Amino acid sequence: MKKQLLSLLGFVLAIFVQAQETEVSIKLKQITSVETNTKTGEYITKKYSFQNGKLTSIKTSDIIQSFFYNKEGYLDKTVRENEMSDWKEIATYFYDDKNNLVKYVNEYEDGGKSVTKTISYKYEGNKINAITKKSNSSLKFVQWIDYTLENGRIINESERDINGKVITNKKIDYIEGDLIAYKGVFGDRSTDSYDYDDKQSAMRLLVQNVFGKNYKTIVTLIAPHEKEFSLESISYHNFLKFSSTTPSKKQYEYSYTYNDLNYPKTHIEHTGLLKTIVNYEYE
């Protein structure tokens, strides 16, 4: 009887995951956010544009970030530039034949000098080794992180020093497809916590169409380096609240309205004096 119950549970979970991963016909058309300083009244508008569900640009004031895709439809390059100057920042993505991210190259300015940051990813079974190098450093590597995969999601990361000794170890917890905790078990023992609603995530639509079937792994690898791809965006449901045991990290919350398909129409965020209203459009 116990074996039958376990088999039934496994079947139900498999159906749940399959249902969550099923492609839907709804696609993002545009996201617009307005961030207002409630004291001064000053505001910043940010516009995300899409074509056939794929993110093509993010425009903020005089800064525009453009997104380009390879022939397989995965993100190939982003270019962030100031339309009023010669400033430019370029990120390039490289994949293997299984759509695993194998290299990320970021070209930017630091202190008036051009810097190239290169992260190489090596896959061995359920392990990923990521080594970061910078053109302005004489070190063999700047950062060395080992990741552990389970069912296409990263569940653990360990940072090592130049001698291969573990500096920090962090565990990533999930519930019902949502990333709920990012917690230190060695070294930095802080915990970041995430809460969600029970509706369909607009941001998961975004990252799925940018990175394809391996979006859960790729976003987790790239989130520390690309602010537009947040860690919680791989979750099935919409992010509601962030909290942390690290005092310097501020707690913040979102509130939503939804359309008839249970995707967000709007969300509102309050962080100190800043109030941000985000509108979602679909096709």
Side-chain angles (χ1 to χ4, degrees), residues 136-147:
N136 61 341
S137 173
S138 59
L139 297 175
K140 184 178 180 181
F141 60 83
V142 179
Q143 189 179 48
W144 171 6
I145 299 179
D146 295 326
Y147 297 92

Side-chain angles (χ1 to χ4, degrees), residues 53-110:
K54 286 189 177 295
L55 180 63
T56 56
S57 67
I58 301 174
K59 180 79 164 62
T60 306
S61 180
D62 54 353
I63 303 294
I64 184 168
Q65 184 175 11
S66 302
F67 295 76
F68 305 92
Y69 298 85
N70 60 25
K71 61 182 181 180
E72 283 78 26
Y74 307 131
L75 183 62
D76 182 58
K77 181 172 69 173
T78 73
V79 179
R80 185 184 286 114
E81 54 192 325
N82 189 323
E83 297 178 314
M84 305 299 290
S85 72
D86 294 331
W87 176 85
K88 185 179 291 188
E89 183 176 314
I90 301 173
T92 312
Y93 298 78
F94 301 86
Y95 309 88
D96 63 14
D97 57 5
K98 295 181 180 178
N99 187 34
N100 293 313
L101 182 68
V102 293
K103 186 187 292 186
Y104 167 81
V105 179
N106 188 201
E107 301 169 72
Y108 59 96
E109 287 186 9
D110 185 9

Side-chain angles (χ1 to χ4, degrees), residues 19-59:
Q20 295 281 19
E21 290 294 345
T22 300
E23 292 293 328
V24 292
S25 58
I26 192 169
K27 295 175 181 177
L28 282 163
K29 181 179 180 180
Q30 184 173 287
I31 301 174
T32 305
S33 75
V34 179
E35 179 186 88
T36 304
N37 186 309
T38 56
K39 184 177 182 179
T40 65
E42 296 178 337
Y43 65 91
I44 298 174
T45 300
K46 193 173 186 179
K47 180 180 177 182
Y48 296 69
S49 297
F50 297 81
Q51 184 174 356
N52 196 28
K54 286 189 177 295
L55 180 63
T56 56
S57 67
I58 301 174
K59 180 79 164 62

